[in-house]
């Protein structure tokens, strides 16, 4: 069952129950008030007759009883019976005098009256209609000497109550229809945005990643739609990044492959060259293959880090690792007569993945050497406090232009192409370094000025948070 129908049925059930209960209560209340009114009225009349009768019963004026009862019954348009203490009817105001002489002490109301209590009851008399019986005792000298029973028609009240009942049923059914129509509208109003969100999710799963839903409300559904739009936006970004990455990576592989192919073709086409020529060409092929191997290794490293997002750390001596990096890069620095130096604290320890940490420092220091003119400086600094280690790698080299600086950590970002081609990088070194810093939950900032130099500042927590 759809949400719309669920909400609708729930509304309907609540509505039916509340209308039925309200209707029943109201009807009972009205019925009781009307009948109580008649009851009180009849009791008053019965008491009046009883008072009158009790004054004359057993006196010389008792002959007045019958005509007075007859007259009064006519006036109030009811039938009045007067019985003695044994329940024998002495006066019946009906013209048929049907009950005179009969004993009616088994009538429940008469029984009550002869016991000294007034009582009323309602009867559906076959062929006549609805009547209310009201019986009260006749008391003379503190003794019950008989009973008065008034029987009055309440057909008009029963008719009125019936008409109220039907009117209530019609009104409540009308209200019921109207409210269920409204609840259907409300249910649609609530569920329509959800329907649109479901459609949007389907469109998204078919690959239209930048699809947006328009839900303007500020409620939970509106928030869900906003979250959906944010999700589709980041999916699109991730997809764009992935596409660019694949195209950049294939482009990078295509160039050395084309070179290798050209070199090998020149080998195939050459005739009777001396061995030196072949060696020369094979050396170039080897160079291109090394380049490809390096690219594939870098890509694999990035892919692996994308997957793990967490490192296995162990307490490592940071200053030692930095010295190892410097040692392995000294020969490169020497070829450019660059002064590569460590100017930091020793015996600094932190929980890192030592191989990855080495790789990160290596990539940044290598850049410092690659992008600094001959005779320049590359200085590595290290400080610590209670919680963090602070690593700086500063050079006085070419610097990075303002437009490249924000993209420096993106994959395949290279500065000036001519410069990069000469140095032969792929633009992956800093992307890898950044990933390594990220998985160690650290931070990195760069300051650079073209022609003056560059400083990388890295902060890593000594202990990884769990
Ligand atoms: N210390 C630096 N001084 C000047 N430019 C730099 C420095 N470090 C990085 N860059 C610029 O940033 C770009 C990206 O650096 P990155 O290390 O990611 O790639 P790469 O060195 O070109 O290639 P790879 O490291 O993959 O061999 C470089 O091409 C270079 O233009
Ligand atoms: Mg590099």
């Amino acid at each position: 069952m759809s949400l719309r129908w669920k909400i609708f049925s729930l509304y309907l059930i609540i509505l039916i129950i509340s209308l039925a209960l309200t209707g029943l209560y109201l009807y009972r209340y009205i019925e009781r008030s009307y009948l109580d009114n008649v009851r009180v009225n009849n009791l008053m009349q019965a008491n009046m007759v009883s008072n009158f009768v009790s004054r004359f019963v057993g006196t010389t004026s008792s002959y007045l009883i019958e005509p007075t009862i007859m007259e009064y019954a006519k006036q109030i348009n009811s039938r009045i019976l007067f019985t003695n203490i044994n329940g024998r009817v002495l006066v019946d105001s009906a013209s048929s005098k049907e009950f005179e002489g009969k004993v009616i002490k088994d009538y429940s109301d008469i029984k009550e009256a002869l016991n000294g209590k007034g009582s009323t009851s309602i009867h559906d008399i076959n062929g006549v209609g609805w009547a209310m019986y009201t019986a009260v005792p006749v008391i003379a000298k503190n003794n019950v000497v008989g009973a008065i029973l008034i029987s009055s028609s309440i057909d008009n009240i029963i008719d009125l109550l019936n008409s109220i009942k039907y009117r209530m049923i019609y009104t409540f059914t009308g209200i019921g229809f109207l409210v269920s129509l409204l609840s259907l509208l409300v249910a649609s109003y609530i569920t329509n945005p959800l329907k649109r969100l479901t459609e949007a999710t389907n469109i998204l799963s078919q690959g239209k990643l930048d699809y947006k839903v328009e839900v303007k409300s500020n409620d939970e559904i509106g928030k869900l739609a906003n979250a959906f739009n944010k999700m589709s936006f980041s999916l699109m970004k991730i997809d764009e990044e992935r596409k660019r990455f694949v195209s950049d990576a294939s482009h990078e592989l295509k160039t050395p492959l084309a070179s290798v192919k050209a070199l090998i073709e020149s080998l195939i086409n050459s005739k009777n060259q001396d061995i030196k020529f072949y060696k020369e060409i094979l050396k170039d092929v080897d160079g291109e293959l090394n380049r490809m191997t390096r690219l594939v290794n870098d890509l694999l490293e990035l892919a692996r880090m994308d997957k793990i997002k967490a490192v296995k750390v162990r307490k490592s001596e940071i200053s030692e690792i930095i010295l190892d990096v410097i040692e392995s890069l000294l020969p490169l620095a020497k070829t450019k007569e660059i002064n590569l130096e460590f100017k930091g604290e020793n015996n600094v320890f932190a929980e890192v993945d030592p191989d990855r940490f080495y790789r990160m420092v290596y990539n940044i220091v290598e850049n410092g050497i690659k992008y600094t003119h001959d005779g320049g400086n590359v200085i590595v600094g290290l400080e610590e406090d209670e919680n963090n280690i602070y690593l700086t790698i500063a050079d006085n080299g070419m610097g990075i232009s303002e437009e490249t600086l924000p993209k420096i950590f993106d994959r395949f970002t290279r500065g000036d192409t001519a410069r990069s081609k000469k140095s032969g990088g792929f633009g992956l070194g800093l992307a890898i370094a950044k990933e390594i810093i990220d998985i160690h939950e650290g931070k990195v900032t760069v300051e650079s000025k073209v022609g003056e130099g560059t400083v990388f500042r890295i902060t890593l927590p000594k202990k990884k948070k769990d």
Side-chain angles (χ1 to χ4, degrees):
M1 190 154 70
S2 75
L3 188 60
R4 190 162 75 131
W5 288 109
K6 271 187 198 160
I7 294 176
F8 175 67
S9 336
L10 200 72
Y11 259 73
L12 212 64
I13 292 169
I14 294 173
L15 181 75
I16 290 173
I17 293 176
S18 47
L19 279 185
L21 288 178
T22 320
L24 214 67
Y25 174 77
L26 262 180
Y27 179 73
R28 286 270 169 258
Y29 179 78
I30 292 169
E31 186 187 52
R32 231 200 11 241
S33 343
Y34 269 101
L35 292 176
D36 278 355
N37 214 0
V38 182
R39 209 167 270 138
V40 169
N41 206 25
N42 283 7
L43 275 169
M44 255 163 54
Q45 287 168 348
N47 277 323
M48 257 170 63
V49 178
S50 149
N51 275 342
F52 164 78
V53 171
S54 62
R55 243 183 289 147
F56 293 108
V57 80
T59 68
T60 48
S61 310
S62 63
Y63 65 92
L64 281 173
I65 291 175
E66 182 170 357
T68 312
I69 284 179
M70 299 290 284
E71 179 57 31
Y72 194 66
K74 214 189 279 168
Q75 259 179 40
I76 62 170
N77 202 16
S78 304
R79 185 175 185 173
I80 301 177
L81 301 183
F82 166 44
T83 74
N84 65 9
I85 184 70
N86 301 318
R88 182 179 297 279
V89 178
L90 301 178
V91 180
D92 176 357
S93 73
S95 48
S96 61
K97 309 249 177 240
E98 184 189 347
F99 276 93
E100 273 182 16
K102 284 187 183 156
V103 177
I104 54 167
K105 68 168 191 274
D106 288 339
Y107 279 37
S108 63
D109 296 307
I110 292 290
K111 221 189 252 173
E112 289 279 302
L114 293 177
N115 279 330
K117 277 181 254 158
S119 90
T120 61
S121 58
I122 289 165
H123 302 269
D124 184 7
I125 301 164
N126 253 345
V128 180
W130 288 90
M132 182 182 280
Y133 289 180
T134 310
V136 293
V138 178
I139 298 166
K141 292 176 194 142
N142 287 331
N143 286 321
V144 177
V145 294
I148 294 291
L149 178 91
I150 295 184
S151 156
S152 60
S153 163
I154 51 166
D155 271 346
N156 53 345
I157 285 167
I158 297 293
D159 284 351
L160 185 71
L161 285 175
N162 274 339
S163 102
I164 289 175
K165 182 157 75 188
Y166 288 120
R167 221 169 264 212
M168 269 169 72
I169 290 173
Y170 295 146
T171 316
F172 280 23
T173 316
I175 293 175
F177 267 116
L178 217 78
V179 175
S180 25
L181 210 74
L182 274 176
S183 73
L184 204 65
L185 288 178
V186 170
S188 306
Y189 176 76
I190 293 173
T191 53
N192 273 348
L194 283 177
K195 225 177 170 175
R196 260 183 285 155
L197 265 170
T198 316
E199 275 164 21
T201 315
N202 284 335
I203 293 172
L204 192 83
S205 64
Q206 279 157 20
K208 201 171 175 330
L209 294 180
D210 59 342
Y211 190 77
K212 286 204 165 19
V213 267
E214 261 204 44
V215 176
K216 288 195 183 77
S217 61
N218 221 350
D219 54 14
E220 285 81 350
I221 294 173
K223 281 180 194 147
L224 181 64
N226 266 338
F228 176 90
N229 288 342
K230 264 189 212 151
M231 179 188 74
S232 73
F233 182 74
S234 37
L235 276 178
M236 188 188 69
K237 283 265 162 242
I238 290 168
D239 192 52
E240 269 174 8
E241 218 169 83
R242 183 187 59 85
K243 279 183 186 146
R244 211 189 41 204
F245 180 71
V246 170
S247 104
D248 285 349
S250 7
H251 184 80
E252 289 297 336
L253 279 169
K254 223 169 105 188
T255 322
L257 272 177
S259 306
V260 169
K261 192 169 161 51
L263 288 167
I264 288 174
E265 272 169 3
S266 74
L267 273 186
I268 295 168
N269 295 333
S270 67
K271 282 184 196 119
N272 305 325
Q273 295 280 355
D274 70 55
I275 188 94
K276 229 172 118 200
F277 170 80
Y278 291 105
K279 271 201 168 158
E280 203 61 38
I281 287 191
L282 283 175
K283 218 177 110 198
D284 287 350
V285 170
D286 186 49
E288 292 296 344
L289 286 177
N290 281 343
R291 204 174 138 72
M292 269 197 278
T293 311
R294 196 160 79 83
L295 173 63
V296 171
N297 283 340
D298 281 358
L299 290 176
L300 279 176
E301 177 67 18
L302 278 170
R304 230 175 279 140
M305 275 189 295
D306 271 348
K307 243 195 324 206
I308 58 164
K309 289 287 169 211
V311 263
K312 282 208 178 94
V313 293
R314 65 167 188 264
K315 197 171 177 187
S316 317
E317 190 171 356
I318 300 300
S319 28
E320 269 309 305
I321 300 176
I322 293 173
L323 286 173
D324 285 350
V325 173
I326 289 180
E327 200 185 305
S328 61
L329 279 171
L330 264 179
L332 179 69
K334 248 186 205 145
T335 57
K336 295 179 79 180
E337 285 172 10
I338 282 173
N339 168 39
L340 172 60
E341 246 186 285
F342 175 58
K343 282 189 183 165
E345 294 175 27
N346 286 309
N347 295 320
V348 175
F349 287 85
E351 286 183 3
V352 296
D353 174 335
D355 292 342
R356 290 216 161 91
F357 185 82
Y358 178 95
R359 180 84 196 262
M360 183 268 287
V361 181
Y362 186 98
N363 285 2
I364 299 174
V365 176
E366 185 201 28
N367 280 351
I369 301 168
K370 273 203 304 194
Y371 305 113
T372 298
H373 305 288
D374 293 5
N377 288 307
V378 177
I379 311 294
V380 184
L382 177 66
E383 279 170 41
E384 67 172 330
D385 64 15
E386 205 183 322
N387 303 316
N388 299 310
I389 59 163
Y390 304 92
L391 185 68
T392 50
I393 296 146
D395 65 59
N396 59 352
M398 307 166 183
I400 305 163
S401 70
E402 261 176 53
E403 74 192 75
T404 317
L405 200 59
K407 296 183 283 183
I408 198 95
F409 294 108
D410 293 351
R411 294 168 188 190
F412 296 110
T413 294
R414 277 175 300 203
D416 177 356
T417 26
R419 189 172 72 186
S420 304
K421 262 196 186 141
K422 207 175 92 204
S423 57
F426 297 114
L428 290 175
L430 285 182
I432 293 172
K434 174 79 165 71
E435 289 278 353
I436 294 172
I437 294 165
D438 283 351
I439 57 179
H440 281 90
E441 288 158 12
K443 282 193 200 88
V444 56
T445 56
V446 205
E447 274 167 46
S448 189
K449 244 197 183 136
V450 176
E452 286 185 19
T454 307
V455 188
F456 285 84
R457 288 177 218 282
I458 298 142
T459 307
L460 288 190
K462 279 183 169 172
K463 255 187 176 5
K464 244 187 116 237
K465 284 176 224 117
D466 295 312

